[in-house]
Amino acid sequence: MKKKLVTIIIPVYNVKNYLKQCVLSVINQTYKNLEIILIDDGSTDGSGVICDSFKSLDDRIKVIHKSNTGLGLTRNTGIEIAHGDYICFIDSDDFISNNMVDQLMTCMVNFKADTVIGGYTRVSENGKKLYSKKYVSEEYQTPDVKLKLLPRLIGSSPYKKDSIKMSIWNVMFSMKVISENNIRFVSERQYVSEDIIWDMDYYNHAKKVKILNSDSYFYRARGNSLTRQFNYEDRLLDIKKLYLFEKDKLYDLKIFEISSKRLSREFFINLAGCIDKIVETNNIINSIKIVSKILNDEFIQNIVLSYPYRKASLKASIFLRLIAKKRALLMVILLQIL
């Protein structure tokens, strides 16, 4: 019996230093029945040329060159031309173990699932292992895919770390589920986390999902120039916009009540990153003024005051208490010390 075709979609944008390792890790998979789609999203560093050179080496590879639209919409370009029974997405600065697809497909077949989720390994910019994250092997079927799994993808409970990373890599998705429900990515330029919005759409329709105890996807931590471009007002608007969008989605899915605290926790994580960047890029006087303005924001206060922060972990509890009490000076001092 012929093995199922798996489409690997790799959006490419200015990653010439990492692209070869990424593509070679896919070409060398032990699972051979692959369709590999490289989509050059308007690269200016020669990445598109590298894509073309790989196409000449392996007839499973298709290359598309297009103007820059960003990660989410570029993935959609791949979906539109995919022929696989299943789809995996790989970021072009990451790489995978040579048996990742085999692991996912074996699990898919053995458990008759329509989706398989694996863990990952975080590596440094030069590829050195930093840590790995494996999930406990579990299985979810309708209606628990929506009622129990999807909330964990939204974020962790206030009382423990039980989330499953909402990123779409090291996941094997069903093309049938995607096609029948016309599931597509939103632009990350519209919402700061296109992956979680995809997850909310996809897992509303998935019927049987298997969690695989693996760490075969290597996620690269890269430095960037965001510090120079950081605008806290824009960032704050972005995380509020995402929160409200997710909130409306969860209401539509009728799981807001069981997911609301998880959504709030993710909002606080995004907010903490924003405040940390403010302190990093401003002097202490300006930091206190900006953080004070944020802590007095009614939108933020309403979320904090409805959250059980007194029962959170010590670090989270301190951070949220400082917000609730509007202690900007103390927060800035602590962030500068830590």
Side-chain angles (χ1 to χ4, degrees):
M1 185 162 118
K2 187 176 180 180
K3 289 187 174 182
K4 298 286 188 179
L5 178 64
V6 178
T7 297
I8 309 291
I9 296 177
I10 308 175
V12 176
Y13 181 71
N14 288 354
V15 287
K16 66 177 183 179
N17 293 331
Y18 313 104
L19 184 56
K20 182 176 180 181
Q21 183 180 24
C22 174
V23 179
L24 284 175
S25 74
V26 176
I27 289 174
N28 293 325
Q29 288 294 295
T30 55
Y31 192 94
K32 299 301 182 183
N33 195 22
L34 302 177
E35 174 187 50
I36 304 166
I37 304 177
L38 305 178
I39 311 164
D40 171 26
D41 188 31
S43 296
T44 58
D45 70 342
S47 293
V49 175
I50 297 173
C51 290
D52 290 334
S53 68
F54 273 112
K55 180 181 179 181
S56 66
L57 295 176
D58 194 317
D59 61 9
R60 297 175 298 174
I61 293 178
K62 299 177 182 178
V63 175
I64 297 174
H65 299 280
K66 56 184 277 298
S67 59
N68 182 262
T69 58
L71 183 60
L73 300 186
T74 299
R75 288 171 178 158
N76 290 344
T77 299
I79 293 172
E80 295 296 335
I81 66 167
H83 294 95
D85 301 287
Y86 299 100
I87 286 184
C88 295
F89 300 96
I90 299 175
D91 289 350
S92 52
D93 52 353
D94 299 335
F95 57 98
I96 58 178
S97 65
N98 67 351
N99 65 342
M100 189 196 85
V101 176
D102 226 335
Q103 287 180 337
L104 294 173
M105 179 56 76
T106 298
C107 193
M108 186 80 76
V109 171
N110 288 346
F111 290 91
K112 297 180 174 60
D114 56 31
T115 314
V116 179
I117 301 173
Y120 62 95
T121 299
R122 184 80 178 263
V123 298
S124 66
E125 194 160 359
N126 63 11
K128 182 181 178 181
K129 180 177 176 179
L130 300 175
Y131 64 85
S132 63
K133 177 64 177 179
K134 289 185 176 182
Y135 303 114
V136 175
S137 181
E138 296 179 272
E139 185 179 313
Y140 293 87
Q141 298 188 51
T142 303
D144 286 345
V145 172
K146 184 167 77 170
L147 298 178
K148 294 183 179 180
L149 173 60
L150 182 50
R152 290 182 64 191
L153 290 161
I154 300 299
S156 285
S157 157
Y159 315 111
K160 60 181 179 179
K161 290 184 178 180
D162 64 344
S163 67
I164 294 174
K165 192 172 181 64
M166 52 74 188
S167 185
I168 55 136
W169 30 254
N170 202 15
V171 181
M172 186 172 282
F173 296 100
S174 163
M175 190 60 189
K176 180 179 179 182
V177 172
I178 293 169
S179 298
E180 289 182 351
N181 299 285
N182 195 30
I183 299 168
R184 295 294 186 272
F185 288 92
V186 299
S187 171
E188 71 278 7
R189 297 170 185 176
Q190 181 181 8
Y191 294 102
V192 293
S193 178
E194 78 283 359
D195 285 5
I196 188 58
I197 296 172
W198 165 278
D199 282 348
M200 294 170 82
D201 289 337
Y202 182 88
Y203 291 103
N204 183 39
H205 300 288
K207 303 298 183 185
K208 190 173 184 181
V209 181
K210 178 67 179 177
I211 310 298
L212 178 63
N213 181 245
S214 74
D215 56 0
S216 300
Y217 187 100
F218 294 86
Y219 164 52
R220 195 184 306 270
R222 289 176 58 197
N224 55 48
S225 59
L226 289 178
T227 296
R228 295 195 301 272
Q229 303 170 359
F230 179 73
N231 181 303
Y232 87 88
E233 291 177 318
D234 289 344
R235 180 62 180 175
L236 199 58
L237 285 173
D238 284 343
I239 63 176
K240 287 180 178 180
K241 182 180 177 182
L242 178 64
Y243 174 88
L244 291 173
F245 185 88
E246 289 185 76
K247 182 178 179 180
D248 288 343
K249 276 268 190 183
L250 293 172
Y251 267 117
D252 291 342
L253 295 173
K254 296 180 173 54
I255 58 171
F256 178 74
E257 293 304 319
I258 60 175
S259 306
S260 62
K261 298 299 184 288
R262 295 175 181 271
L263 177 60
S264 295
R265 181 166 174 167
E266 284 303 298
F267 175 81
F268 299 141
I269 290 171
N270 289 332
L271 180 63
C274 179
I275 293 175
D276 190 54
K277 189 67 71 175
I278 289 167
V279 174
E280 179 185 328
T281 56
N282 288 272
N283 62 42
I284 189 167
I285 300 300
N286 286 339
S287 293
I288 293 169
K289 288 180 180 178
I290 297 170
V291 173
S292 178
K293 182 178 179 181
I294 291 174
L295 300 195
N296 280 277
D297 186 301
E298 183 179 358
F299 182 96
I300 293 170
Q301 283 291 319
N302 287 338
I303 298 176
V304 171
L305 295 177
S306 65
Y307 188 83
Y309 60 83
R310 292 179 179 84
K311 297 181 180 179
S313 67
L314 179 60
K315 185 177 179 180
S317 180
I318 292 171
F319 174 70
L320 296 174
R321 284 172 187 265
L322 291 175
I323 296 177
K325 302 298 182 182
K326 304 176 183 178
R327 300 290 177 83
L329 173 60
L330 185 54
M331 178 174 286
V332 171
I333 291 172
L334 286 175
L335 286 173
Q336 288 194 326
I337 293 172
L338 297 176

